[in-house]
Amino acid sequence: MSDAAGIGLQSPRQLRRSLALRLSVAAVSISVLTGAMVYVMGTRQGEQAALERALEGVRHFESPSMQAALLAPSTTIHPEIERLLDPEKLLGVRVLSSQKLLLYESWAKASSSAQRAVLLQAHPWPAQRERVARWVGAGNERQILIVLPLPGRDGALSGYLEGVYRFDASKLEQEVWRSVLLAIAAVFGTSALLFPIFLTLLKQVSQQSRRILDANLSLLHALGSATAKRDSDTDLHNYRVTLYAVALAEKLCLPYVRMADLIVGSFLHDIGKIGIPDAILLKNGKLDSAEFKVMKRHPLLGLEIVAGNPWLTGASAVIRSHHEHFDGSGYPDGLSGNDIPILARIFAVVDVFDALTSERPYKAAMDFETALSIIKRDAGTHFDPVIVAVFEQGAHAWHAQTACLAGETLSTQLRASVEKYFVTA
């Protein structure tokens, strides 16, 4: 029953708004996740593509004639290399001997920070027919350093070539963000197309939930009325104590999810009296000790009646413990203080108050002030004093609004509480 408390019954407009909100949150969440995945994958793919382009570019230096030119001792500029240098792509070339001594280098307007980053970059030296590729960062710039082995005429390793390629991060980022925006647009477009379908399904579920709730409320009313017919011949007491309990619980700021249990428990608090013999239940006059012992069984009998019904089991705390006393003198478990469930402590106050202020076949109704004074007197012994203090603040208004109402009006007010605190979808 506790799991059933929450958003309450919803109108068609509320359903549309709730569905739109939830679908929007889901779409945003999926879009963020999808966008992040696309960004990461796009960045990796772009970097890999740049790396492959850089590797492709160094093939210019793998021809025997180009390698012979590179390794030839010369201090002049190599025209073949200078033609390949491009500030937008190939930033620089460095040629080193097999002993890693610099033989030649040329840069195409590369910044000093980019050159320095390459010079400081540690990397392994590749064996023949291998390549080494490294990302090199210089401030906000990124380069790709490719290292190639240069074989000599006899096939032995003669040196190394380092080629430095520019990585166009801004262009890649634009492409990636374009993909991210397309993914987000696709998610929201799909959500918009699915919204009418989800709304139709949600309406069907809500209608079915309403029918189930109506059936459960009919069961609740039937059980409450059956108890009342055996006891006081009226179920008005059940309606009043339930409304009192809800008002008191709201003023106590009882967690929202507990309210449904309180409502069902209040309405069915004495359902166990169905199992008490008429000779004891309907006896005129005070019960003797043996009879009272039988009467004290009704909370546990009530638990047996609601057991096995998931919609009613949340009422167990009130049914079992509403006759416990704050000082431990109650029954059936002799609980005391905060060991008594909060729902039972709330209900105990309103149950006694309504019993005092209501007319019964065997007694007249007590006036409000006298009844309230009895409740206050028993704070700390019978009742939780904190709950009594809060009850005192609202009791006059609640009594004035509820005590004289007819059954149909009480039923309408209880229905309003049910629609506020019970989930249907």
Side-chain angles (χ1 to χ4, degrees):
M1 200 35 209
S2 295
D3 294 336
I7 61 173
L9 295 168
Q10 295 184 326
S11 66
R13 177 179 296 179
Q14 290 173 320
L15 278 175
R16 289 193 296 271
R17 185 181 304 161
S18 176
L19 178 60
L21 177 61
R22 296 181 183 191
L23 200 56
S24 298
V25 171
V28 169
S29 301
I30 295 173
S31 297
V32 170
L33 180 60
T34 302
M37 292 175 62
V38 170
Y39 185 85
V40 171
M41 293 175 62
T43 300
R44 289 179 178 176
Q45 290 174 356
E47 291 178 347
Q48 185 61 33
L51 193 59
E52 291 173 357
R53 285 195 298 271
L55 287 169
E56 184 69 24
V58 298
R59 289 183 177 176
H60 291 289
F61 301 99
E62 292 181 332
S63 66
S65 58
M66 181 65 77
Q67 294 191 5
L70 289 171
L71 293 171
S74 174
T75 57
T76 61
I77 296 176
H78 294 284
E80 298 88 349
I81 297 176
E82 297 300 325
R83 282 195 298 269
L84 292 174
L85 294 178
D86 181 354
E88 299 301 321
K89 296 180 181 178
L90 182 60
L91 293 177
V93 169
R94 300 175 75 235
V95 180
L96 300 96
S97 69
S98 58
Q99 288 76 35
K100 289 83 174 180
L101 299 176
L102 181 65
L103 300 177
Y104 171 80
E105 70 176 332
S106 182
W107 297 89
K109 297 181 181 179
S111 66
S112 59
S113 63
Q115 295 183 40
R116 186 166 54 253
V118 172
L119 294 175
L120 295 175
Q121 176 68 34
H123 59 75
W125 297 95
Q128 292 196 47
R129 297 184 180 85
E130 293 182 355
R131 295 168 178 167
V132 170
R134 285 288 185 274
W135 288 99
V136 181
N140 295 327
E141 300 180 14
R142 294 184 73 193
Q143 291 82 233
I144 305 173
L145 172 63
I146 306 294
V147 185
L148 290 177
L150 298 175
R153 295 181 185 275
D154 58 357
L157 181 67
S158 297
Y160 301 94
L161 179 139
E162 293 181 344
V164 182
Y165 283 77
R166 181 187 298 278
F167 175 65
D168 193 348
S170 60
K171 183 177 180 181
L172 173 61
E173 189 169 342
Q174 290 176 2
E175 294 176 354
V176 171
W177 276 113
R178 189 180 298 114
S179 300
V180 169
L181 293 176
L182 287 174
I184 293 174
V187 171
F188 273 95
T190 303
S191 299
L193 291 174
L194 292 176
F195 179 77
I197 300 174
F198 287 158
L199 183 60
T200 299
L201 293 175
L202 185 60
K203 285 181 178 178
Q204 294 175 353
V205 172
S206 180
Q207 290 170 357
Q208 180 64 22
S209 297
R210 284 176 180 269
R211 287 192 289 269
I212 293 173
L213 179 60
D214 287 339
N216 285 329
L217 291 177
S218 296
L219 172 64
L220 183 68
H221 181 269
L223 290 173
S225 295
T227 305
K229 294 298 182 184
R230 291 218 57 221
D231 188 6
S232 59
D233 201 37
T234 176
D235 56 5
L236 297 184
H237 170 69
N238 290 336
Y239 284 110
R240 286 194 301 266
V241 292
T242 303
L243 293 173
Y244 284 148
V246 169
L248 178 55
E250 289 175 341
K251 198 169 184 65
L252 285 164
C253 299
L254 184 75
Y256 198 92
V257 296
R258 305 297 307 279
M259 294 297 291
D261 293 339
L262 178 64
I263 290 171
V264 177
S266 298
F267 204 82
L268 297 182
H269 64 284
D270 273 341
I271 190 174
K273 288 184 177 180
I274 291 175
I276 301 299
D278 287 350
I280 296 175
L281 184 65
L282 304 178
K283 179 181 178 179
N284 288 322
K286 188 176 181 180
L287 301 178
D288 61 33
S289 59
E291 292 169 334
F292 187 57
K293 185 176 181 179
V294 174
M295 178 63 78
K296 288 196 297 183
R297 292 175 50 213
H298 80 269
L300 300 181
L301 292 174
L303 290 181
E304 294 176 7
I305 293 172
V306 301
N309 187 319
W311 201 80
L312 299 179
T313 51
S316 298
V318 174
I319 293 174
R320 182 182 188 112
S321 302
H322 70 282
H323 283 296
E324 300 287 357
H325 290 186
F326 200 73
D327 63 1
S329 61
Y331 65 91
D333 302 306
L335 301 178
S336 63
N338 292 336
D339 289 338
I340 305 171
I342 181 65
L343 301 186
R345 281 180 277 144
I346 291 172
F347 180 77
V349 174
V350 300
D351 184 36
V352 173
F353 175 78
D354 187 70
L356 294 173
T357 56
S358 301
E359 183 178 356
R360 297 290 175 85
Y362 52 85
K363 76 172 192 68
M366 187 178 293
D367 65 88
F368 171 81
E369 295 297 339
T370 304
L372 183 60
S373 67
I374 293 174
I375 297 295
K376 291 166 61 178
R377 180 198 67 193
D378 291 342
T381 54
H382 190 163
F383 309 115
D384 184 332
V386 174
I387 293 177
V388 169
V390 175
F391 176 76
E392 184 181 2
Q393 298 171 16
H396 188 276
W398 300 332
H399 181 258
Q401 295 167 2
T402 305
C404 298
L405 294 180
E408 184 176 347
T409 306
L410 289 170
S411 178
T412 300
Q413 290 192 1
L414 181 58
R415 177 73 190 198
S417 293
V418 167
E419 293 190 354
K420 181 178 180 181
Y421 292 112
F422 283 71
V423 165
T424 60

